[in-house]
Amino acid sequence: MSHSVALERVTMAFGETRAVDDVSFTVEPGEFFSILGPSGCGKTTILRMVAGFLAPSAGRVLIGERDMAGLGPNQRPTAMIFQSLALFPLMPVWENIAFGLEARGVSKEKRRRRAEELLDLIALSGYGERKISELSGGQKQRVAIARALAVEPQVLLLDEPLSALDLKLRQHMRAELRTIQKRTGVTFLYITHDQSEALAMSDRVAVMSAGVLQQVAAPRTLYDEPATPFVATFVGETNAVPGRVVAIENGEAALDTAHGRFTARAGAGLAAGAEATLYVRPEALTLARQGATAGEGAGPNVLAARAERLDFEGAFGLLHGATADGARLLAALPSTTLGGAPAPGAEIAFSFSTRDAIALPGHAQARPEEEP
């Protein structure tokens, strides 16, 4: 099997609105693949097309090497876990898990045996006779996963299954999901709006915005080498400094900005003379000595600012600052360096290295939750 799932120039239109616009990507067998993006970006529409609940307006969806056109949900080698889980409260746990097998005519003895195997896989041995109401939120999640795995799908589709859980339980279930996926070897196609969730669990991530595929890459690559302004601002926190490219040489770009000239790695599509934005992560900023300028041992890039506040978060602190024109800056500094943290209103300077910054064409995009 060349690919577990393949989308070939898939478009989904609802009237004049293109919920998914000419999207192509592949998912490899046994891969944990996530589609990440804000509400309305098209990620759930893609999942529903793979599942067979929607037929694309254009393009093809393949599972294995077979075109899924004309095949309904019950004819596809997939299983789906919804946000609501949709467990049956009047059935004991083992019958919930075996429900799909019963619909396929599997005998009660074989259904029970398969349910017990899966209960062992999800670390709930001995829970088969319990009622769904007797389970915790995390246990219900695991039962829903076991029920989906019972029918031995080639691809398991997960539509934000952790969104209703509290933070600690979500973090615990991330590890549980990843462990179960690796034990079974089943391909997971996972939908989420939570960037940390996608980065923590996935082998690769597809980032969507307004129906358009922005980038497909491993989590670290998305974070360190965003391909578009949207990815740079949506995946993780970042500082954005707009400017104009004055030179590109040896993979590095020099930008003139309102705050001086800075150098950064040159992203794809960058051209001399064009508008661009420099992006640098909070953890890449360090405090330069007061009054420092580039070339004085503080690194090639020094950005003057005014301290606003420090948020202590245990192992590190978040130092908020602002430039003279009011642009917000954020630095993540180790707590061991915060003994002499600047007071609010103090004049400071942040420095960063060229290799820790990237310049991309165009202007930064506001994070979706910040849009009016």
Side-chain angles (χ1 to χ4, degrees):
M1 185 187 300
S2 56
H3 304 297
S4 187
V5 178
L7 270 65
E8 297 180 352
R9 305 202 65 177
V10 167
T11 293
M12 186 70 227
F14 299 100
E16 297 297 317
T17 302
R18 287 195 171 196
V20 176
D21 191 0
D22 197 23
V23 168
S24 298
F25 63 76
T26 60
V27 182
E28 303 307 316
E31 188 174 30
F32 196 125
F33 188 98
S34 292
I35 304 177
L36 171 68
S39 296
C41 73
K43 57 187 184 295
T44 296
T45 300
I46 288 176
L47 199 72
R48 292 177 67 83
M49 286 190 286
V50 175
F53 295 110
L54 291 173
S57 305
R60 299 200 303 165
V61 175
L62 294 89
I63 298 179
E65 297 180 354
R66 186 181 181 187
D67 190 339
M68 293 290 107
L71 298 179
N74 62 336
Q75 298 171 296
R76 302 190 180 198
T78 60
M80 191 164 181
I81 299 176
F82 299 92
Q83 291 179 6
S84 64
L85 303 183
L87 297 173
F88 303 112
L90 300 181
M91 291 182 183
V93 166
W94 82 266
E95 288 188 12
N96 266 275
I97 292 173
F99 179 78
L101 298 176
E102 183 178 10
R104 298 183 180 197
V106 177
S107 69
K108 182 174 181 179
E109 180 183 352
K110 290 183 178 179
R111 297 199 309 269
R112 185 65 188 253
R113 188 183 312 126
R114 178 63 174 154
E116 293 297 338
E117 290 172 355
L118 289 165
L119 282 167
D120 183 58
L121 174 70
I122 63 173
L124 287 179
S125 294
Y127 281 67
E129 295 295 342
R130 294 200 185 188
K131 297 178 181 179
I132 295 299
S133 60
E134 297 174 334
L135 303 182
S136 68
Q139 290 168 341
K140 290 176 183 177
Q141 293 283 342
R142 283 184 272 169
V143 170
I145 294 165
R147 183 177 63 181
L149 292 173
V151 297
E152 298 182 334
Q154 288 183 29
V155 184
L156 183 58
L157 310 173
L158 303 98
D159 186 8
E160 304 208 50
L162 308 184
S163 60
L165 303 180
D166 63 46
L167 177 60
K168 282 193 174 182
L169 189 50
R170 283 204 310 273
Q171 292 173 336
H172 173 73
M173 285 306 301
R174 289 177 195 172
E176 292 276 350
L177 273 175
R178 185 65 169 160
T179 298
I180 290 170
Q181 192 268 334
K182 289 304 178 186
R183 284 179 182 173
T184 62
V186 174
T187 302
F188 276 29
L189 182 54
Y190 191 93
I191 301 300
T192 183
H193 66 275
D194 186 326
Q195 54 179 296
S196 60
E197 198 169 276
L199 297 179
M201 295 192 296
S202 310
D203 295 309
R204 287 189 302 147
V205 180
V207 181
M208 296 280 298
S209 173
V212 177
L213 181 64
Q214 298 284 317
Q215 187 175 2
V216 178
R220 189 80 209 187
T221 302
L222 282 180
Y223 191 80
D224 291 340
E225 301 174 28
T228 69
F230 179 84
V231 176
T233 53
F234 186 74
V235 179
E237 297 290 342
T238 195
N239 297 286
V241 182
R244 187 173 296 276
V245 180
V246 294
I248 302 174
E249 186 176 355
N250 298 323
E252 295 182 356
L255 276 75
D256 275 347
T257 77
H259 314 290
R261 179 169 292 188
F262 302 101
T263 58
R265 290 176 289 125
L270 212 62
E275 291 183 341
T277 301
L278 179 149
Y279 299 92
V280 58
R281 300 293 184 185
E283 64 272 19
L285 294 182
T286 59
L287 273 176
R289 67 178 180 81
Q290 191 163 348
T293 59
E296 293 187 353
N301 303 305
V302 176
L303 181 57
R306 182 185 67 257
E308 292 193 329
R309 75 174 193 274
L310 178 68
D311 298 335
F312 177 71
E313 299 204 2
F316 61 93
L318 296 178
L319 179 59
H320 297 257
T323 60
D325 60 1
R328 300 294 179 207
L329 297 173
L330 180 67
L333 306 172
S335 291
T336 53
T337 67
L338 298 179
E347 297 298 321
I348 58 174
F350 292 116
S351 67
F352 57 93
S353 70
T354 298
R355 68 177 180 275
D356 288 333
I358 188 167
L360 297 172
H363 290 154
Q365 297 185 15
R367 294 177 69 95
E369 60 268 27
E370 296 173 352
E371 294 176 352

